[in-house]
Short mmCIF file of all heavy atoms in Angstrom, two decimals:
data_model
loop_
_atom_site.label_atom_id
_atom_site.label_comp_id
_atom_site.label_asym_id
_atom_site.label_seq_id
_atom_site.Cartn_x
_atom_site.Cartn_y
_atom_site.Cartn_z
N ILE A 4 90.22 97.13 133.63
CA ILE A 4 91.51 97.20 132.95
C ILE A 4 91.24 97.39 131.45
O ILE A 4 90.45 96.65 130.86
CB ILE A 4 92.33 95.92 133.17
CG1 ILE A 4 92.67 95.76 134.65
CG2 ILE A 4 93.61 95.95 132.33
CD1 ILE A 4 93.35 94.45 134.97
N ALA A 35 90.92 97.53 123.44
CA ALA A 35 90.78 98.46 122.32
C ALA A 35 91.88 98.12 121.33
O ALA A 35 93.05 98.14 121.68
CB ALA A 35 90.91 99.90 122.81
N ARG A 47 88.68 86.71 118.38
CA ARG A 47 87.88 86.88 119.60
C ARG A 47 87.60 85.55 120.28
O ARG A 47 87.40 85.49 121.49
CB ARG A 47 86.57 87.61 119.29
CG ARG A 47 86.76 89.04 118.82
CD ARG A 47 85.44 89.79 118.79
NE ARG A 47 85.60 91.13 118.24
CZ ARG A 47 84.73 92.12 118.41
NH1 ARG A 47 83.64 91.91 119.12
NH2 ARG A 47 84.94 93.31 117.88
N PHE A 50 89.64 84.49 123.31
CA PHE A 50 89.46 85.18 124.58
C PHE A 50 88.21 84.67 125.31
O PHE A 50 87.29 84.15 124.69
CB PHE A 50 89.29 86.69 124.34
CG PHE A 50 90.54 87.38 123.85
CD1 PHE A 50 90.90 87.30 122.51
CD2 PHE A 50 91.33 88.11 124.71
CE1 PHE A 50 92.03 87.95 122.04
CE2 PHE A 50 92.47 88.76 124.25
CZ PHE A 50 92.82 88.68 122.92
N SER A 107 98.37 110.93 132.31
CA SER A 107 98.97 109.98 133.25
C SER A 107 98.83 110.42 134.69
O SER A 107 99.08 109.64 135.61
CB SER A 107 100.45 109.76 132.91
OG SER A 107 101.19 110.97 133.03
N HIS A 117 107.06 95.50 123.62
CA HIS A 117 107.14 94.25 122.84
C HIS A 117 108.18 94.38 121.72
O HIS A 117 107.90 94.09 120.56
CB HIS A 117 105.76 93.89 122.26
CG HIS A 117 104.71 93.68 123.30
ND1 HIS A 117 104.80 92.74 124.29
CD2 HIS A 117 103.52 94.32 123.51
CE1 HIS A 117 103.73 92.79 125.08
NE2 HIS A 117 102.94 93.76 124.62
N THR A 182 100.68 69.68 122.38
CA THR A 182 101.65 68.58 122.29
C THR A 182 100.93 67.24 122.15
O THR A 182 101.37 66.37 121.38
CB THR A 182 102.55 68.57 123.53
OG1 THR A 182 103.24 69.83 123.64
CG2 THR A 182 103.58 67.45 123.45
N MET A 263 109.97 66.23 116.13
CA MET A 263 110.65 65.25 115.29
C MET A 263 112.06 65.69 114.89
O MET A 263 112.79 64.93 114.25
CB MET A 263 109.82 64.97 114.04
CG MET A 263 108.47 64.32 114.31
SD MET A 263 108.61 62.69 115.07
CE MET A 263 109.07 61.71 113.64
N VAL A 286 109.10 71.90 124.70
CA VAL A 286 109.00 70.51 124.24
C VAL A 286 110.36 69.81 124.29
O VAL A 286 110.52 68.69 123.81
CB VAL A 286 108.38 70.38 122.84
CG1 VAL A 286 106.97 70.92 122.83
CG2 VAL A 286 109.24 71.07 121.78
N ASP A 300 118.80 85.97 126.35
CA ASP A 300 118.19 86.04 127.68
C ASP A 300 117.76 84.67 128.17
O ASP A 300 117.78 84.40 129.37
CB ASP A 300 116.97 86.98 127.66
CG ASP A 300 117.37 88.44 127.68
OD1 ASP A 300 117.67 88.98 126.61
OD2 ASP A 300 117.39 89.02 128.77
N GLU A 316 130.39 79.10 114.05
CA GLU A 316 129.98 78.72 115.40
C GLU A 316 128.76 77.80 115.38
O GLU A 316 128.68 76.83 116.14
CB GLU A 316 129.71 79.97 116.24
CG GLU A 316 130.96 80.80 116.50
CD GLU A 316 130.66 82.10 117.21
OE1 GLU A 316 129.47 82.39 117.48
OE2 GLU A 316 131.61 82.85 117.50
N SER A 323 129.23 69.14 117.04
CA SER A 323 129.58 68.63 118.36
C SER A 323 128.40 67.93 119.02
O SER A 323 128.55 66.87 119.66
CB SER A 323 130.07 69.78 119.24
OG SER A 323 130.36 69.34 120.55
N ALA A 324 127.22 68.50 118.86
CA ALA A 324 126.02 67.91 119.47
C ALA A 324 125.70 66.55 118.86
O ALA A 324 125.38 65.59 119.58
CB ALA A 324 124.84 68.85 119.31
N ILE A 330 124.38 65.10 124.91
CA ILE A 330 124.33 66.55 125.10
C ILE A 330 122.99 67.11 124.64
O ILE A 330 122.39 67.98 125.29
CB ILE A 330 125.48 67.23 124.32
CG1 ILE A 330 126.82 66.91 124.97
CG2 ILE A 330 125.27 68.75 124.24
CD1 ILE A 330 128.01 67.49 124.23
N THR A 345 110.45 79.63 134.94
CA THR A 345 110.49 81.09 134.78
C THR A 345 109.60 81.64 133.69
O THR A 345 108.82 82.58 133.93
CB THR A 345 111.95 81.54 134.48
OG1 THR A 345 112.80 81.04 135.51
CG2 THR A 345 112.04 83.05 134.41
N TYR A 346 109.67 81.09 132.48
CA TYR A 346 109.04 81.72 131.32
C TYR A 346 107.68 81.11 131.02
O TYR A 346 107.47 80.48 130.00
CB TYR A 346 109.97 81.64 130.11
CG TYR A 346 111.27 82.38 130.34
CD1 TYR A 346 112.42 81.70 130.71
CD2 TYR A 346 111.32 83.76 130.23
CE1 TYR A 346 113.62 82.38 130.94
CE2 TYR A 346 112.51 84.46 130.47
CZ TYR A 346 113.64 83.76 130.82
OH TYR A 346 114.81 84.44 131.06
#
Side-chain angles (χ1 to χ4, degrees):
I4 297 174
R47 294 191 184 199
F50 292 79
S107 62
H117 300 301
T182 301
M263 296 297 283
V286 298
D300 282 83
E316 293 175 358
S323 177
I330 290 178
T345 305
Y346 298 100

